[in-house]
Amino acid sequence: LDDAGVDYVIPLEEYARIKETQKIYNKRHDTAHWNALGTMAGLKLLNEKVRTYHPGIPVLDEEAFDLTYEEVQIEFISLPLKDTVPVYTLKPEYAESIVQDHELSFKLEHMEGTSIQHFINENALSDASILILQDSFLQDNWQYFAYRYREVYMISRQNYERMQYYVE
């Protein structure tokens, strides 16, 4: 990435520090992803990086969310194992004006079985739009963006060959 001049965030030091006081990864529940606390920490770091280029982008603020803990069944197996995971839910005053445009996935060419999500928020904290080429880490994590951006486009990274098409 350095050789290509691509900016990036690798949160190893921050996660090492945070995990001393918070459980940011539920090994029993989801072996492939950070939990909501880890997601929030990583996205806050990413937001800081984006704001160096676009200072008008609102800060990702934990105060816009309610944090609860839910007991969940362990994924991918039928054993009666449970785990307690943190869940961030966007507060109603931020979420009420967010609308998902389901038509976009029918309009844009994409690989079958991949997701394309489009959210519109006329009352967003900024007029900016964002295109997110995402992997499973951000799947269904639209709320971290949709209250801050007027339009949010989230497209699975498996659509690599069409990325330039999406940007245009």
Side-chain angles (χ1 to χ4, degrees):
L1 294 175
D2 288 332
D3 291 345
V6 175
D7 214 346
Y8 56 90
V9 174
I10 298 178
L12 294 178
E13 291 176 19
E14 292 85 354
Y15 277 176
R17 183 179 39 78
I18 293 167
K19 77 175 188 172
E20 292 178 12
T21 59
Q22 293 182 318
K23 186 177 181 180
I24 59 174
Y25 184 70
N26 289 79
K27 293 178 185 177
R28 289 177 49 195
H29 169 63
D30 183 348
T31 59
H33 302 96
W34 300 109
N35 67 25
L37 297 174
T39 299
M40 178 66 79
L43 290 178
K44 285 173 95 174
L45 290 170
L46 181 61
N47 184 241
E48 288 175 20
K49 181 67 74 172
V50 169
R51 286 175 47 83
T52 64
Y53 296 99
H54 304 283
I57 297 301
V59 172
L60 175 58
D61 186 2
E62 288 179 71
E63 295 299 316
F65 298 85
D66 290 317
L67 176 61
T68 57
Y69 289 83
E70 297 178 4
E71 190 173 90
V72 293
Q73 187 75 25
I74 305 303
E75 294 182 354
F76 309 117
I77 59 174
S78 60
L79 296 174
L81 299 173
K82 294 185 179 359
D83 201 358
T84 301
V85 299
V87 177
Y88 278 111
T89 304
L90 192 57
K91 290 181 178 177
E93 61 265 30
Y94 294 102
E96 63 191 7
S97 60
I98 299 170
V99 176
Q100 185 172 7
D101 173 14
H102 295 283
E103 297 298 315
L104 190 64
S105 63
F106 299 112
K107 295 175 187 173
L108 288 180
E109 296 178 31
H110 63 283
M111 288 178 56
E112 188 175 332
T114 63
S115 92
I116 292 182
Q117 300 172 65
H118 178 213
F119 297 91
I120 303 166
N121 182 357
E122 295 298 326
N123 296 324
L125 298 180
S126 74
D127 288 335
S129 296
I130 187 170
L131 169 63
I132 301 168
L133 304 169
Q134 51 132 103
D135 61 9
S136 60
F137 171 71
L138 284 178
Q139 187 69 34
D140 298 323
N141 282 323
W142 56 269
Q143 64 183 1
Y144 296 103
F145 304 95
Y147 82 101
R148 298 180 299 133
Y149 292 88
R150 174 81 42 136
E151 288 193 78
V152 176
Y153 300 88
M154 298 181 76
I155 300 174
S156 296
R157 66 166 172 76
Q158 291 90 341
N159 291 290
Y160 180 79
E161 293 178 4
R162 294 182 179 85
M163 284 185 189
Q164 185 63 41
Y165 166 73
Y166 300 141
V167 171
E168 289 171 3

